[in-house]
Amino acid sequence: MSKHFSRLVLAAVILMSACPVTPARAQDAAAPFDGDLQRLAEILGTLHYLRGICGANEGAKWRNEMQALIDAETPSGDRRARMIAGFNRGYNGFQQTYRTCTPAATVAIRRYIEEGSKISRDLTARYAN
């Protein structure tokens, strides 16, 4: 299931790179999909933490997905800070709750992968023209 999510995140990354905001100053302005990107960043941070404690042995996979998203979108200023803050919020929020993998952590992983997949599909459907 995580391979499927990775492909959807990659599709969202490709999509975002194909739809850049052209003027340099406009990049600081919010894009219509920024809320979804921030939520996706938060999910990636959550998965980076939870998959690590649940022995997924993925290393920096989810952090790398986040970096690819940032590289594709190339946000600056506040937009970049909000995306990074979302990732950190997801990571830190679960770090405070879970110290070891539990059945609840496994359920959370599944739900976040499903939510991230839905966001990626919706972004692709909405902005892939």
Side-chain angles (χ1 to χ4, degrees), residues 2 46-59 62 99-102 105-106 109:
S2 64
T46 298
L47 290 172
H48 181 61
Y49 180 73
L50 289 177
R51 296 284 291 176
I53 66 167
C54 287
N57 200 25
E58 296 171 328
W62 301 103
R99 299 285 184 220
T100 60
C101 190
T102 64
T106 303
I109 289 169

Side-chain angles (χ1 to χ4, degrees), residues 33-70:
F33 45 79
D34 274 0
D36 290 331
L37 287 182
Q38 287 173 36
R39 180 63 183 149
L40 188 56
E42 189 172 338
I43 290 168
L44 291 171
T46 298
L47 290 172
H48 181 61
Y49 180 73
L50 289 177
R51 296 284 291 176
I53 66 167
C54 287
N57 200 25
E58 296 171 328
K61 175 184 178 171
W62 301 103
R63 183 179 299 172
N64 292 341
E65 294 284 354
M66 179 63 192
Q67 187 60 54
L69 188 60
I70 288 174

Side-chain angles (χ1 to χ4, degrees), residues 95-118:
Q95 186 181 36
Q96 293 174 9
T97 306
Y98 295 98
R99 299 285 184 220
T100 60
C101 190
T102 64
T106 303
V107 169
I109 289 169
R110 187 178 68 248
R111 288 182 178 162
Y112 280 106
I113 287 174
E114 290 170 3
E115 183 182 353
S117 295
K118 182 182 181 326

Side-chain angles (χ1 to χ4, degrees), residues 64-86:
N64 292 341
E65 294 284 354
M66 179 63 192
Q67 187 60 54
L69 188 60
I70 288 174
D71 291 346
E73 181 60 18
T74 61
S76 61
D78 289 342
R79 287 186 73 222
R80 181 181 179 88
R82 285 190 301 269
M83 287 178 71
I84 292 169

